[in-house]
Amino acid sequence: MGQYGVIEGGGTKFVLGIADAAGTISARHRIATTTPDEVLSAAIEWFRAQDLQPAAIGIASFGPLDLDRASPSWGHVTRTTKPHWNGADLAGPFIRAFDCPVGVETDVNGAALAESRWGAGKEHNSLLYLTVGTGIGGGFVSGGRLLAGLSHPEMGHIRVPRHRDDLGFAGVCSFHGDCLEGLASGPAIIARWGDSLSKLAQGEGESEAGAGAGIVAWYLGQAVCNFQAILEPARIVLGGGVMSTPGLLDKVRHYAREAGGGYFVGDPEQVVVAPGLDSDSGLLGALAVALATESA
Ligand code: ZN
């Protein structure tokens, strides 16, 4: 069976793996995210040390990324404030080092593909993956293919109505203030209540945690309603650190159902789900990107 080099590019670490098409990961390696030169040459060195002769390489990375195959900067990081990484060429070094197809997607698109193929969406034709963590991002898969426009979707930056008990908060998005990410991401929660909702619930901030979870769930419920209206996904997977708050997923379902008014085919009670994949989801995302690239 062919082997694939898979790369999960994150803000603090890059995780590498060697995988087969069935999703078995046979080796793993971590590299701290320093500079592109250091990280990418260490990655190539590790793959070579494993004697990898890849059928394809898949990269699922933080973005934004240029994903237009016709663009001279395809596979590059764009518009990031992360030191050293603005304009970094993620794909080029692997194309030059290995004689195989190389695919690049955002980590969120990778997760959407992996959830669609092996996780919560494997019985379904369409799936939206939304991560709610340090940022909010989404990817949509229909018939095994990712939705793309001029660039990958930026679903975290949609506008949602304001919660009546939250009108004094300006939001933390540096571009839009009170877009969805500005209101419901991890940093937006810390800006209002001082800590993550899970930590508040364990400590002395129990009432803040309850009020905060209600407000955050309400915003995410409005977002789910918007995404149902635009895409009507068979499954909407809510992942990311904020979603590990106990009880939050049920609250989002409740508010999504209320906002949707029973209009959509999919009932949020069934449609809105937790991820089906566990800790390997990042590498499986990169594998799904490699497989999609190989068959393209
Ligand atoms: Zn925004």
Side-chain angles (χ1 to χ4, degrees):
M1 198 186 269
Q3 286 199 312
Y4 299 85
V6 293
I7 302 157
E8 176 190 0
T12 56
K13 64 182 191 296
F14 271 58
V15 183
L16 313 179
I18 294 176
D20 65 22
T24 307
I25 295 159
S26 56
R28 291 174 179 77
H29 184 61
R30 281 161 184 250
I31 300 169
T33 304
T34 53
T35 67
D37 273 356
E38 279 176 17
V39 169
L40 302 178
S41 43
I44 289 166
E45 215 169 284
W46 183 78
F47 282 138
R48 284 193 172 135
Q50 310 304 304
D51 220 5
L52 177 68
Q53 286 171 8
I57 288 175
I59 304 169
S61 171
F62 66 86
L65 305 173
D66 183 346
L67 298 179
D68 176 4
R69 281 267 176 187
S71 157
S73 58
W74 169 81
H76 289 52
V77 180
T78 63
R79 292 182 285 129
T80 183
T81 50
K82 192 170 172 45
H84 313 297
W85 288 83
N86 194 25
D89 180 5
L90 295 181
F94 296 97
I95 292 171
R96 290 188 287 276
F98 298 97
D99 182 24
C100 73
V102 175
V104 181
E105 279 296 344
T106 60
D107 42 10
V108 182
N109 269 349
L113 278 176
E115 283 291 338
S116 169
R117 196 165 187 140
W118 297 296
K122 67 181 175 199
E123 314 286 334
H124 302 281
N125 190 50
S126 60
L127 174 141
L128 171 73
Y129 180 86
L130 196 72
T131 180
V132 188
T134 310
I136 298 181
F140 180 67
V141 179
S142 177
R145 296 179 72 92
L146 284 164
L147 180 75
L150 285 175
S151 177
H152 47 84
E154 290 284 6
M155 299 189 194
H157 297 273
I158 62 165
R159 298 294 180 163
V160 285
R162 293 301 303 263
H163 190 285
R164 62 169 183 260
D165 297 333
D166 192 42
L167 297 173
F169 180 59
V172 300
C173 176
S174 54
F175 292 91
H176 316 114
D178 63 349
C179 65
L180 180 65
E181 179 172 298
L183 293 169
S185 62
I189 290 167
I190 290 169
R192 297 220 246 350
W193 299 292
D195 210 336
S196 74
L197 296 173
S198 305
K199 288 230 181 82
L200 284 169
Q202 286 159 18
E204 287 171 10
E206 211 172 320
S207 59
E208 284 97 325
I215 288 171
V216 168
W218 189 85
Y219 286 129
L220 293 172
Q222 309 307 306
V224 164
C225 177
N226 290 341
F227 295 134
Q228 283 196 288
I230 297 167
L231 301 165
E232 187 78 61
R235 285 293 176 267
I236 298 177
V237 180
L238 298 183
V242 170
M243 290 313 302
S244 63
T245 307
L248 190 61
L249 184 67
D250 275 336
K251 287 194 176 75
V252 176
R253 288 180 176 133
H254 168 79
Y255 288 122
R257 204 168 195 211
E258 191 180 84
Y263 182 74
F264 304 115
V265 174
D267 179 345
E269 295 292 337
Q270 277 85 51
V271 167
V272 180
V273 295
L277 301 172
D278 58 12
S279 53
D280 269 334
S281 60
L283 288 179
L284 290 174
L287 175 61
V289 172
L291 293 170
T293 304
E294 190 187 24
S295 61

